[in-house]
Amino acid sequence: MVVFAGQGDARRSMALLWRSADSGGARGVPGPKPGLDVDTIVAAGIAVADEEGMAALSMRAVGAWLGRTAMALYTYVPSKSELVDLMHDRVLAELPTEYDTGAGWRAAIAAWADDTWAFYLRHPWVLQVSQARPVLGPGEYAQLETVVRILGGIGLEPLRIRRVIAVLFQFVRGMARVAAERQQAAPATGVSDEEWWAVRTALLAEVAPDFAERFPALAALESHATAAVVVDAAGEESAEDVPYLEREAKEAFRVGLELILDGVDEAVRSGHGSPAHAAPSAP
C-alpha cells in the first residue's frame, strides 16, 4: 500500500503543516465539543496507524479512537489526505536534530542512520508514505537540515552533497522497509519465518536437485556465507534472542552504510566533487 502525500487542498494542507493563520480551525465555530484540536487528532491518527497499520487509518477510526464521530474531526482537519501529511510530519519530530561531530562526520551520520532505522521500525506505516511527493512540512525539513549540517563542511560541492543525502535517505528507508516487512510477515500470514523457509527449502531441493550445478556462483557464496554466519552467531551471547532474519537485515544495513560512507570518504580525500574540482557553471 502506497500513500501519496499532498492529496488534499494545497493551501489548507500547507497552512496546517506550518500552523499559519490560514490553517483555520474551530475558533469561534459552534459544533464539536471543547477539547478537540488539530494536535489531538494527529496524535490519535498516529496511534491508530502504529497499532493497526496504515490500511486501518480513516477519519472514522480516528474519531472512534477519540470517542467522537468522524464529522467532529472535519472542522479541524479537512480529510484523511491532510491528516496523513500532518501525521507524517509530526512523527518525524521524534528524531534527534543535533548530533555530535566531535568524532567526525562519519560517526555522526552513522548515529543518525541508526536512529532513523529504529524510527522506521517503530512506525512502519511511515514507509508507506511515498517520497515521490514530499510532505514539505517543518518536521521533514528539520531532518534534512540535520543531515546537511553534518555533511555541509566535509568539502564536497553542494550538488554532490545533495545527491549523497538522497542516497543516504533512500538507503536507510529501503533497508528499513525490508526489516519492517519481515517483522510484519508472520502476523499477517500466520506462518513463521522458520516454517516458511523450512517448507520451501525442502521443496527447492526436491524440484531443483541440480541447483548447485545450475547456479554454482550463488551456491558457493551461500555455502561460505552460511558457515560465516554460524561462526559469528556462536560468538554472540544475544544471538538467540534476535531472529536470524532480523540480524541479517541489521548486518546488511550496517555493511551497506559503511560502503556508502567509504565512497563519500574517498571522494572527500581525493577532492573529487569538491568545490575546487567542480565543473564550471554554464554561462
Side-chain angles (χ1 to χ4, degrees):
M1 177 182 180
V2 177
V3 176
F4 289 98
Q7 296 301 295
D9 176 78
R11 181 172 295 278
R12 185 73 188 277
S13 292
M14 296 297 286
L16 283 166
L17 283 165
W18 293 89
R19 293 299 195 274
S20 75
D22 295 334
S23 61
R27 294 185 297 274
V29 178
K33 51 189 174 182
L36 200 59
D37 56 32
V38 173
D39 290 338
T40 300
I41 293 168
V42 172
I46 292 169
V48 169
D50 281 348
E51 184 166 309
E52 302 177 32
M54 182 65 88
L57 182 70
S58 68
M59 297 297 276
R60 178 175 293 183
V62 175
W65 188 278
L66 293 168
R68 309 294 181 95
T69 65
M71 290 301 296
L73 311 184
Y74 291 124
T75 299
Y76 304 89
V77 179
S79 73
K80 178 182 171 181
S81 294
E82 287 87 358
L83 178 60
V84 168
D85 290 359
L86 291 165
M87 289 166 52
H88 182 275
D89 203 66
R90 168 75 65 77
V91 80
L92 285 172
E94 288 182 12
L95 285 163
T97 56
E98 298 290 339
Y99 287 92
D100 183 8
T101 56
W105 65 268
R106 283 190 68 139
I109 286 294
W112 165 83
D114 282 341
D115 287 340
T116 306
W117 164 280
F119 164 80
Y120 281 134
L121 295 188
R122 287 196 307 274
H123 305 291
W125 58 268
V126 174
L127 295 164
Q128 294 175 268
V129 181
S130 172
Q131 295 299 287
R133 294 179 178 178
V135 171
L136 302 181
E140 199 169 62
Y141 278 114
Q143 281 306 300
L144 285 168
E145 176 77 7
T146 297
V147 180
V148 170
R149 284 202 306 269
I150 296 172
L151 295 178
I154 66 175
L156 297 183
E157 59 101 9
L159 181 58
R160 183 61 59 91
I161 290 289
R162 191 172 74 180
R163 289 172 177 164
V164 167
I165 289 171
V167 168
L168 286 168
F169 270 92
Q170 293 309 315
F171 169 76
V172 175
R173 182 182 175 89
M175 295 299 292
R177 179 189 290 277
V178 174
E181 289 173 355
R182 282 175 172 165
Q183 290 182 348
Q184 295 162 356
T189 64
V191 179
S192 71
D193 288 334
E194 292 77 11
E195 292 174 300
W196 191 93
W197 280 103
V199 169
R200 280 158 180 78
T201 300
L203 287 171
L204 184 61
E206 178 184 321
V207 300
D210 59 343
F211 184 91
E213 289 74 31
R214 293 174 65 182
F215 308 104
L218 178 59
L221 175 65
E222 286 303 308
S223 176
H224 287 90
T226 300
V229 167
V230 171
V231 171
D232 286 347
E236 295 179 8
E237 294 182 2
S238 63
E240 294 182 359
D241 300 330
V242 182
Y244 165 72
L245 289 176
E246 287 190 31
R247 294 201 311 271
E248 283 294 288
K250 189 59 185 287
E251 185 63 14
F253 168 73
R254 184 188 67 78
V255 170
L257 181 64
E258 284 184 0
L259 290 171
I260 291 171
L261 299 185
D262 283 347
V264 177
D265 218 358
E266 177 59 28
V268 171
R269 286 198 304 269
S270 67
H272 181 65
S274 65
H277 289 77
S281 301

